[in-house]
């Protein structure tokens, strides 16, 4: 909202900020047929003051949004860093095999529910579309599971028939593993898959994030890959204790792996969102400051021109009376 308002103000300010401010102001306010000759007072500085006040209000909003984003980032960052230890053992055991070819792919695209955070949502959507195109084929099926309003708004335009599940308002309450595990359970119940491709933005710093794809294979795919002696061939070297079969263990392992990876992905994306929002609001505040400086210069020139015009009128009137 703040950035849109700032852009609107920028379009309105364009006629004012010019090499000839008086002529620009007169042409933007008064119709051509009603304009007085140049040098004749025809506009008040009140319009410029109103616009300066509007830009100041926008600048206050963007600065406040930056501080709110910084506060949220500090709260989420520690959770995201701690959650990285959940999925790393699964990567060591099962590996991360994005190149595995399967018939049923499900792309889980994670985005934010709100905007004003740069291009992190567009990046996730672009990678999702590219991954869909890469894995497409005559005997293959690719579906979308969307987390967040922004990805939904973009993907629903040209991939509406491929969307099987949409989940929003993830950050309405503080994120925790219980909440995310319930979401993971809903996804597993409503979607048939051979591989889940989770797309999110991994947090690196306030000004940098890394688009990431994590792959979670179904138990059947893991067992097939292990039997074929691929990257998962080492699974057969482990001994199974207890009364559970290998298929049951792989089923439980796949479900737990997906919930852990999804929990980390949601937290990493939330950190990236707040960091991007901080950068965007900082840039907007600087732009508002620069616009305010130009408007102040225009206001001073306009006021000085008005004063000069009044002095000329007074002097001319006095000279006429004396003559």
């Amino acid at each position: 909202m703040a950035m849109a308002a700032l852009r609107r103000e920028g379009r309105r300010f364009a006629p004012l900020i010019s090499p000839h401010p008086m002529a620009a102001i007169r042409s933007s306010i008064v119709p051509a047929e009603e304009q007085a000759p140049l040098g004749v007072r025809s506009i008040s500085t009140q319009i410029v003051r109103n616009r300066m006040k509007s830009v100041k209000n926008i600048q206050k909003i963007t600065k406040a949004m930056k501080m709110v984003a910084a506060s949220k980032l500090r709260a989420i960052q520690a959770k995201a860093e701690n959650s990285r230890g959940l999925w790393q053992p699964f990567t060591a055991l099962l590996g991360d095999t994005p190149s595995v070819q399967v018939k049923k792919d499900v792309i889980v695209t994670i985005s934010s529910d709100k905007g004003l955070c740069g291009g992190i949502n567009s990046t996730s959507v672009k990678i999702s579309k590219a991954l869909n195109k890469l894995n497409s084929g005559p005997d293959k099926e690719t579906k979308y599971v969307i987390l967040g309003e922004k990805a939904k708004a973009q993907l629903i335009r040209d991939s509406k028939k491929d969307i099987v599940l949409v989940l929003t308002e993830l950050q309405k309450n503080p994120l925790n593993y219980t909440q995310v595990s319930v979401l993971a359970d809903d996804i597993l119940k409503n979607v048939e898959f051979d591989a889940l491709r989770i797309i999110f933005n991994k947090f690196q710093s306030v000004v940098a994030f890394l688009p990431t794809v994590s792959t979670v294979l179904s138990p059947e795919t893991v067992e097939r890959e292990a039997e074929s002696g691929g990257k998962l061939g080492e699974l057969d070297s482990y001994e199974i204790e207890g009364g559970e079969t290998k298929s049951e263990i792989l089923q439980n392992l796949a479900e737990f792996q997906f919930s852990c990876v999804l929990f980390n992905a949601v937290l990493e994306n939330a950190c990236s969102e707040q960091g991007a929002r901080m950068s965007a609001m900082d840039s907007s505040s600087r732009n508002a400051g620069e616009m305010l400086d130009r408007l102040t210069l225009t206001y001073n020139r306009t006021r000085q021109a008005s004063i000069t015009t009044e002095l000329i009128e007074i002097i001319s009137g006095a000279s006429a009376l004396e003559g």
Side-chain angles (χ1 to χ4, degrees), residues 110-115 117 121 147-151 269 273 277:
I110 300 177
S111 68
S112 65
D113 290 316
K114 299 179 181 179
C117 52
N121 297 317
L147 277 67
E149 285 285 353
K150 293 302 175 179
N269 200 80
E273 175 193 348
R277 183 169 287 117

Side-chain angles (χ1 to χ4, degrees), residues 281-322:
M281 292 301 101
D282 182 60
S283 177
S284 298
S285 299
R286 288 198 306 269
N287 291 340
E290 293 174 2
M291 188 177 292
L292 194 58
D293 292 339
R294 294 195 296 269
L295 278 173
T296 302
L297 181 60
T298 301
Y299 171 76
N300 291 337
R301 286 176 176 174
T302 305
R303 185 168 58 89
Q304 187 64 44
S306 176
I307 293 172
T308 303
T309 302
E310 290 179 358
L311 288 175
I312 292 173
E313 290 176 353
I314 293 171
I315 293 171
S316 299
S319 298
L321 291 175
E322 290 177 359

Side-chain angles (χ1 to χ4, degrees), residues 65 69-70 72-73 76 110-121 147-148 150 170-171 175 201-206 208-209 265-281:
M65 291 182 68
K72 290 183 177 180
L73 176 61
I76 300 174
I110 300 177
S111 68
S112 65
D113 290 316
K114 299 179 181 179
L116 302 179
C117 52
I120 65 168
N121 297 317
L147 277 67
K150 293 302 175 179
L170 298 182
Q171 299 184 47
L175 292 169
N201 295 287
K202 186 175 182 180
F203 178 77
Q204 291 186 318
S205 68
V206 175
F209 57 88
V266 170
L267 288 174
E268 295 278 3
N269 200 80
C271 283
S272 300
E273 175 193 348
Q274 300 303 334
R277 183 169 287 117
M278 282 181 60
S279 299
M281 292 301 101

Side-chain angles (χ1 to χ4, degrees), residues 1 84 122 130 137 143 157 215 223 226 300:
M1 183 186 298
R84 292 171 185 170
S122 298
K143 298 293 183 181
R157 297 171 189 166
T215 304
E223 194 168 0
N300 291 337

Side-chain angles (χ1 to χ4, degrees), residues 83-296:
S83 69
R84 292 171 185 170
L86 288 174
W87 59 265
Q88 289 171 350
F90 293 103
T91 303
L93 176 63
L94 302 175
D96 194 346
T97 54
S99 60
V100 65
Q101 297 295 319
V102 295
K103 291 184 178 180
K104 293 183 179 180
D105 264 309
V106 175
I107 300 174
V108 182
T109 306
I110 300 177
S111 68
S112 65
D113 290 316
K114 299 179 181 179
L116 302 179
C117 52
I120 65 168
N121 297 317
S122 298
T123 302
S124 297
V125 171
K126 287 179 182 177
I127 294 177
S128 300
K129 291 181 178 179
L131 199 58
N132 185 8
K133 187 176 180 180
L134 183 65
N135 294 326
S136 61
D139 298 328
K140 295 182 179 181
E141 182 183 15
T142 304
K143 298 293 183 181
Y144 286 109
V145 172
I146 301 174
L147 277 67
E149 285 285 353
K150 293 302 175 179
K152 171 189 171 184
Q154 295 186 47
L155 288 172
I156 205 170
R157 297 171 189 166
D158 52 1
S159 304
K160 185 176 182 180
K161 60 183 178 59
D162 296 327
I163 299 174
V164 294
L165 189 63
V166 177
L167 302 171
T168 58
E169 297 185 354
L170 298 182
Q171 299 184 47
K172 190 174 183 179
N173 298 314
L175 292 169
N176 54 62
Y177 180 76
T178 303
Q179 175 187 357
V180 176
S181 62
V182 172
L183 296 178
D185 190 51
D186 288 340
I187 295 173
L188 293 175
K189 287 180 179 178
N190 292 283
V191 176
E192 294 183 3
F193 68 95
D194 292 329
L196 290 163
R197 319 278 186 176
I198 305 169
I199 299 174
F200 63 97
N201 295 287
K202 186 175 182 180
F203 178 77
Q204 291 186 318
S205 68
V206 175
V207 295
F209 57 88
L210 180 66
T212 306
V213 179
S214 293
T215 304
V216 176
L217 302 178
S218 67
E220 296 79 9
T221 306
V222 172
E223 194 168 0
R224 186 174 63 250
E225 288 290 316
E227 291 174 355
S228 63
K231 296 181 179 180
L232 303 179
E234 298 180 358
L235 283 177
D236 291 333
S237 61
Y238 290 92
E239 295 183 0
I240 300 176
E241 297 181 356
E244 294 183 337
T245 63
K246 182 179 179 180
S247 299
E248 292 174 343
I249 291 176
L250 289 177
Q251 178 71 31
N252 295 334
L253 197 62
E255 293 177 0
F256 188 46
Q257 179 190 11
F258 177 56
S259 63
C260 292
V261 172
L262 185 64
F263 179 55
N264 173 254
V266 170
L267 288 174
E268 295 278 3
N269 200 80
C271 283
S272 300
E273 175 193 348
Q274 300 303 334
R277 183 169 287 117
M278 282 181 60
S279 299
M281 292 301 101
D282 182 60
S283 177
S284 298
S285 299
R286 288 198 306 269
N287 291 340
E290 293 174 2
M291 188 177 292
L292 194 58
D293 292 339
R294 294 195 296 269
L295 278 173
T296 302

